[in-house]
Amino acid sequence: MRHDRLRRGRLAASLLTAGLVAGTLAACGSSGGGSGDAMKAHGPITIWYSNNEQEVQWGKAMVSAWNSAHPKEQIKAQEVPAGKSTEEVIGAAITAGTTPCLVFNNLPAATGQWQKQGGLVDLSKFSDGAKYIEARSGDAAKQYKSADGDYYQMPWKQNPVMIFYNKAIFQKAGLDPANPKLSTYADFLAAAQKIKSSGAAPYAIYPAPTSEFFQVNFDYLPLLAAQSGGKTFIEDGKATVTGQDSLDVANFWKQIYSDSLAGKEQYQGDAFADGKSAMAIVGPWAIAYYGGDKVQWGSVPVPTKDGKSADETYTFPDAKNIGMYTSCKNQGTAWDVIKFATSKEQDGKLLDTTGQMPIRTDVATTYKDYFDAHPAYKEFGAQSAHTVDDPTGTNTIAQMQALRDAYTKAVVNGSGSVEDAFKAAADKIDKLQAQK
């Protein structure tokens, strides 16, 4: 399998183009909901799931289990149809009225646009909707609420990102592979300098330096979540990117680029697997991908300015959620399927099949047997309790693009000050926030 999991949240999900954003907004109708009759209706439904190999395997087994017990409410399932991205396919299907009942691959950042487009069912309108979501996901559920306080997405699974490091490269650079000092910015930079100066690898780390909006999820935002103690770039309806935590994160990355510790050109391949970089920011899916054959790796939380313990360090979850679409005629069945697919049993099967973390309370203790048998995943299980996702507003993607443009200019390319670039980005973000 090619590096599809590495690009799952990135290049393989190249996401919404400006044209799609404009088309989506032009096609906006009323906020999504679902008629009372449809919400009570039961019968056959259709679903889409990700085309990732492990998720397809889980999805087929889940559908088979449901269908064997519900002969009058059969699920017809398929992978998300081919397109530039899942998000473009879903946006076009909403416009055409051809969405399935459920999609098990919803990007949280796109939820507000699809809601505004009138495509998503308000799950809180089910009699047990909000109660079920919050009982399963606990406090983590709240970040997936829309501005009206309701849930238009079912929090489902996450891949909390951490720092992977190549033990062989660290040893070659004279760094301790069993106990690397990477928790503070100063320690991280010192290790990075040693990696480069020793010739152990051309670069210390190699995040994608390209300007797609979603790339902030894999460099800036994980470290912002960590440094701020669990916040993202919009809080209480206002941009936070001009705050000290944000500026500290951005200037940390700016130093990495200015010292040539990270590459400024897009790498064609996998810099970590190819030994071109000593570190990468990745989620638990990477364990199966890299294994012990490609890279002998270790993992640690993302760094903070002064260092924090693992149980105090937040990160980006790289989540995908479940959406129910208003074109669905049998929404009662669709809701029952959501609850079945996110049950303790099915969440355990998802974890076992994919290595991805269900967004539910006490994952580490609920699935203790799994983590005991798969110790490499324990850190990610613990990290899953401390994650911060992108906002769910109607203009989140455009806001993330404004942030990424500022980051690319000031941080990656070193043009002008971070403070000036992020002030301009904050102004754009706040203007977009005011638009409904």
Side-chain angles (χ1 to χ4, degrees), residues 221-234:
L221 287 179
L223 271 69
L224 177 63
Q227 182 62 27
S228 65
K231 298 184 184 302
T232 187
F233 72 102
I234 299 173

Side-chain angles (χ1 to χ4, degrees), residues 68-309:
S68 66
H70 300 84
K72 294 182 180 179
E73 298 177 274
Q74 295 284 283
I75 299 172
K76 183 178 180 181
Q78 69 173 68
E79 297 175 30
V80 175
K84 286 186 178 179
S85 73
T86 296
E87 288 67 41
E88 289 193 3
V89 170
I90 291 173
I94 291 172
T95 300
T98 58
T99 43
C101 282
L102 302 173
V103 177
F104 286 74
N105 202 36
N106 276 30
L107 181 75
T111 299
Q113 288 187 356
W114 294 333
Q115 177 188 344
K116 187 175 181 180
Q117 198 176 349
L120 289 171
V121 172
D122 182 351
L123 302 179
S124 298
K125 299 302 183 188
F126 289 100
S127 61
D128 60 343
K131 182 179 178 181
Y132 176 79
I133 291 170
E134 291 170 359
R136 174 179 175 268
S137 299
D139 289 342
K142 295 175 185 176
Q143 64 186 314
Y144 297 109
K145 281 184 176 181
S146 291
D148 63 3
D150 285 357
Y151 293 101
Y152 292 78
Q153 55 185 320
M154 174 73 208
W156 181 36
K157 66 180 178 73
Q158 61 175 322
N159 286 272
V161 300
M162 300 179 72
I163 300 290
F164 259 36
Y165 65 94
N166 184 314
K167 291 183 176 181
I169 290 176
F170 268 54
Q171 185 148 13
K172 187 177 178 182
L175 300 168
D176 184 356
N179 187 31
K181 293 180 65 177
L182 297 169
S183 65
T184 71
Y185 291 169
D187 285 343
F188 192 102
L189 289 166
Q193 293 282 9
K194 200 166 185 181
I195 288 162
K196 186 168 181 66
S197 63
S198 68
Y203 298 102
I205 195 166
Y206 209 136
T210 50
S211 59
E212 301 95 342
F213 76 90
F214 56 88
Q215 299 294 5
V216 293
N217 290 331
F218 303 99
D219 44 36
Y220 167 77
L221 287 179
L223 271 69
L224 177 63
Q227 182 62 27
S228 65
K231 298 184 184 302
T232 187
F233 72 102
I234 299 173
E235 294 289 334
D236 299 322
K238 289 288 186 180
T240 64
V241 299
T242 58
Q244 193 58 52
D245 287 335
S246 169
L247 298 178
D248 285 343
V249 170
N251 280 306
F252 166 74
W253 279 114
K254 182 171 185 173
Q255 185 171 351
I256 285 177
Y257 283 104
S258 65
D259 291 349
S260 300
L261 303 175
K264 294 184 179 181
E265 302 297 328
Q266 183 176 349
Y267 183 76
Q268 301 300 322
D270 181 337
F272 186 64
D274 294 346
K276 300 297 183 183
S277 71
M279 292 178 280
I281 298 182
V282 292
W285 55 263
I287 294 173
Y289 178 77
Y290 292 120
D293 297 331
K294 292 185 179 179
V295 183
Q296 289 189 351
W297 54 267
S299 59
V300 295
V302 298
T304 55
K305 185 175 182 180
D306 299 317
K308 293 182 180 181
S309 62

